[in-house]
Amino acid sequence: MDRTKSLSLAALAALFVGGFASGDALALPRDPYLQKVGPDTATVAFRLSSNCSTAQVRYGVGNTSQAARSSDSAKIHAVVLTGLTPATTYTYSVDACGETTPAKTFSTAPVPGTRRVHFATVGDFGTGGSDQKKVAAAMLANKPELFIALGDNAYASGTETEFQTNLFTPMAALLSQVPMFATPGNHEYVTNEAQPYLDNLYLPTNNAEGSERYYSFDWGFVHFVSIDSNCAVGLASASRCTLAAQKAFVEKDLAATTQPWKIVFFHHPSWSSGEHGSQLTMRRQFGPLFEKYGVDLVLTGHDHDYERSKPMLGDAEAGKNEQGIPYLVVGGGGATLRTFSTSRPSWSVIRDNEAHGFLDVDVVEGTLTAKLVKTDGGTLDTFTLSKTLAAPPEQPQGTLNVAVDSASGTAPHAASFTATVSQANATVTWDFGDGATAEGPQAQHVFAQAGTYTVTATATVQGAAPLTATTVVTVAASGTTAPGTDSGEAPGTTPADPDPRPEVPTTPTTPGVTPGDDSNGGGGCAAGPSAALIPAAAALIAGLVRRRRRDR
């Protein structure tokens, strides 16, 4: 064969192969974004351009060797990762219908009580504009552990389309690496009382109504409470949210927390000299609860500016020997800044309507340090709050390891567990995650129902802090394929949910279980360009080879 012809044919083949290889990076209409990240769990949500029943998240520490399968088979997915290690950086990617997204990283929350927390917060950003993108980039550069969003997340009406164009697209890089905990703004309430907000976000549901409109969570030794101020000021119908129910939740929640730092966030400001001014309902309905239970800081948005109050008590500044609460408006996230129509009041320490930026907050031991970081890298305001903390709890001494002889199977599934403790004379107790318990270094248990169970061993020695260790057991329903087999289908996979947003699975796939072979053709999504073109390319190259053989 003529060498020049051979090189041309090789180049053609390389062009096809190279073109197909570039299709391995999955182009999603919405990049993966992090929700409900905790010490041992995280939700990875994403959107696909077509239905896919084999979507999964691959993840691990420094690699993506583990996998968790989505329970949905349509375009909208939210995959829960469980059994994670606290304060650990994970690498992850989405694998759907034979294609994979570029790898990203995120870090799990520290264990409750950890005495260092770093977070970023801002509101009024959801414009899709250049200022919002600059603020998001500046936040990501500061590497916060979490992002507290103060409302007006998607202008102008909080529609489904606006969430895509004004939140998820311009802030994709940030949201894929930093978990966002949000509160709704008044602009979200324009569309069906914030229903698209609820459809697009996956937030805690620890109130009596099981609602995502208001909630609380711990991150290290900071207790955060999100309040839906729209509900409080009358923008929500009683069937969606009531002031009375929300107040009852806030009081019960603040009374119960044992974390030393308490931070509350919502949209409408209790104290503001900006365009909208102070929201007196929020101040008078919730202020007394904040004061009663020792809230340290209140974060709000709504007014497109930055303002920090002096420590406030009731309707006035706190006295010299009184404990007040500073209230902040952090509304410079991207929307057009607005002028102040009045002079700065005496209760206002600082205010600014010239710079977009976000509040960067470090809480270390008994000191909270916050600074308003502008998009040009400068600092507009810095302040500290201090308190005396009790001595840290005694750290556990020694090690505890747990082994299980059979981590997966079908119901009823029997498993044997062994705890190895470095301390002599330790007492070991077991919690099997289904309500059953046992005692002793070795235990056996039968899991009667399908589900994913976190089995916890606790070792105690008199005079020392207890040690705990966990393992996960996954049980499939009788008559179905147990996880880890080659069926290609994950347990619990359900048909497409007609709801705009699928429910987060209550029994997510066990970490470390590798799904079956996806080559069975049951992916449910249209074949990508690579799948359609590879046979044509092979036929073309083969034809060229035959033609050159005839020409010799």
Side-chain angles (χ1 to χ4, degrees):
M1 184 183 293
D2 183 80
R3 181 171 176 78
T4 57
K5 291 180 180 179
S6 178
L7 288 173
S8 298
L9 187 58
L12 179 61
L15 176 62
F16 277 112
V17 173
F20 301 144
S22 66
D24 289 343
L26 180 60
L28 280 71
R30 178 180 299 174
D31 286 346
Y33 56 105
L34 299 165
Q35 299 279 269
K36 290 204 294 189
V37 172
D40 59 0
T41 186
T43 295
V44 179
F46 53 94
R47 300 284 176 96
L48 302 175
S49 56
S50 55
N51 293 349
C52 184
S53 63
T54 62
Q56 62 185 348
V57 174
R58 293 191 177 276
Y59 66 101
V61 178
N63 57 52
T64 56
S65 59
Q66 297 174 272
R69 180 74 60 83
S70 174
S71 64
D72 191 68
S73 58
K75 300 177 183 178
I76 303 174
H77 297 260
V79 179
V80 181
L81 312 182
T82 60
L84 306 180
T85 303
T88 299
T89 299
Y90 282 84
T91 301
Y92 77 98
S93 63
V94 170
D95 188 358
C97 292
E99 297 183 289
T100 304
T101 61
K104 299 285 187 179
T105 61
F106 73 92
S107 294
T108 49
V111 295
T114 300
R115 295 190 171 203
R116 177 156 197 159
V117 174
H118 176 212
F119 71 95
T121 183
V122 73
D124 305 87
F125 49 80
T127 66
S130 59
D131 289 316
Q132 175 190 12
K133 294 174 184 176
K134 291 176 183 177
V135 171
M139 275 195 284
L140 183 56
N142 268 34
K143 299 181 179 180
E145 298 168 38
L146 67 160
F147 166 37
I148 301 297
L150 302 177
D152 284 358
N153 311 289
Y155 287 103
S157 303
T159 64
E160 178 70 27
T161 298
E162 287 168 343
F163 265 96
Q164 178 62 40
T165 59
N166 296 352
L167 173 64
F168 292 110
T169 297
M171 304 182 85
L174 175 71
L175 301 181
S176 67
Q177 299 176 71
V178 180
M180 179 177 77
F181 293 85
T183 197
N186 57 295
H187 281 269
E188 277 82 80
Y189 260 78
V190 173
T191 300
N192 194 17
E193 298 183 37
Q195 190 58 48
Y197 165 89
L198 299 172
D199 291 339
N200 281 274
L201 300 180
Y202 301 81
L203 301 167
T205 55
N206 61 333
N207 57 60
E209 291 75 31
S211 168
E212 293 172 278
R213 294 177 188 269
Y214 56 99
Y215 56 88
S216 68
F217 66 97
D218 289 339
W219 195 284
F221 69 157
V222 179
H223 184 67
F224 291 93
V225 181
S226 172
I227 297 176
D228 184 350
S229 58
N230 301 277
C231 167
V233 302
L235 295 180
S237 58
S239 62
R240 306 284 183 101
C241 179
T242 66
L243 172 61
Q246 204 170 188
K247 281 186 66 179
F249 165 75
V250 170
E251 176 150 31
K252 182 178 180 180
D253 180 82
L254 288 175
T257 183
T258 58
Q259 302 304 339
W261 288 97
K262 305 175 187 68
I263 297 176
V264 177
F265 62 101
F266 48 89
H267 187 61
H268 298 79
S270 301
W271 291 91
S272 172
S273 64
E275 180 183 50
H276 296 294
S278 302
Q279 220 309 319
L280 296 182
T281 297
M282 292 304 298
R283 183 194 301 177
R284 291 169 182 168
Q285 291 292 333
F286 290 96
L289 296 179
F290 301 162
E291 294 158 9
K292 179 179 179 180
Y293 295 105
V295 169
D296 298 288
L297 182 65
V298 175
L299 303 167
T300 64
H302 197 39
D303 276 327
H304 298 180
D305 53 54
Y306 172 76
E307 187 164 25
R308 173 165 61 93
S309 79
K310 295 178 180 177
M312 307 304 292
L313 189 63
D315 286 325
E317 299 172 30
K320 185 177 181 180
N321 297 317
E322 294 178 314
Q323 183 66 44
I325 303 170
Y327 289 78
L328 270 66
V329 176
V330 191
T336 302
L337 301 172
R338 295 172 179 165
T339 59
F340 295 104
S341 59
T342 62
S343 59
R344 181 168 62 86
S346 60
W347 53 261
S348 177
V349 177
I350 183 174
R351 65 180 190 175
D352 177 85
N353 64 346
E354 300 291 333
H356 288 95
F358 68 96
L359 193 73
D360 186 76
V361 185
D362 254 318
V363 193
V364 182
E365 295 291 343
T367 302
L368 180 152
T369 303
K371 58 182 179 180
L372 197 287
V373 180
K374 300 186 293 182
T375 54
D376 64 4
T379 299
L380 177 70
D381 181 33
T382 301
F383 66 94
T384 60
L385 304 176
S386 299
K387 59 167 51 180
T388 300
L389 302 187
E394 182 182 0
Q395 295 300 306
Q397 300 295 317
T399 60
L400 169 63
N401 296 308
V402 172
V404 56
D405 69 335
S406 181
S408 64
T410 55
H413 175 64
S416 297
F417 302 88
T418 301
T420 304
V421 191
S422 62
Q423 298 163 299
N425 303 318
T427 298
V428 179
T429 57
W430 298 88
D431 181 341
F432 297 109
D434 60 357
T437 60
E439 184 173 329
Q442 295 181 321
Q444 292 182 327
H445 183 63
V446 176
F447 297 90
Q449 304 293 327
T452 300
Y453 301 95
T454 299
V455 179
T456 304
T458 301
T460 55
V461 176
Q462 187 173 5
L467 296 165
T468 61
T470 63
T471 188
V472 176
V473 175
T474 302
V475 181
S478 179
T480 63
T481 304
T485 66
D486 293 328
S487 68
E489 293 298 329
T493 299
T494 57
D497 191 336
D499 226 22
R501 187 194 78 175
E503 290 298 319
V504 175
T506 55
T507 55
T509 305
T510 306
V513 175
T514 302
D517 185 359
D518 292 339
S519 62
N520 57 10
C525 75
S530 299
L533 289 175
I534 286 176
L540 177 57
I541 293 170
L544 289 170
V545 171
R546 288 194 297 270
R547 179 177 176 181
R548 277 154 178 70
R549 285 174 178 170
R550 289 197 303 267
D551 290 344
R552 286 189 298 176

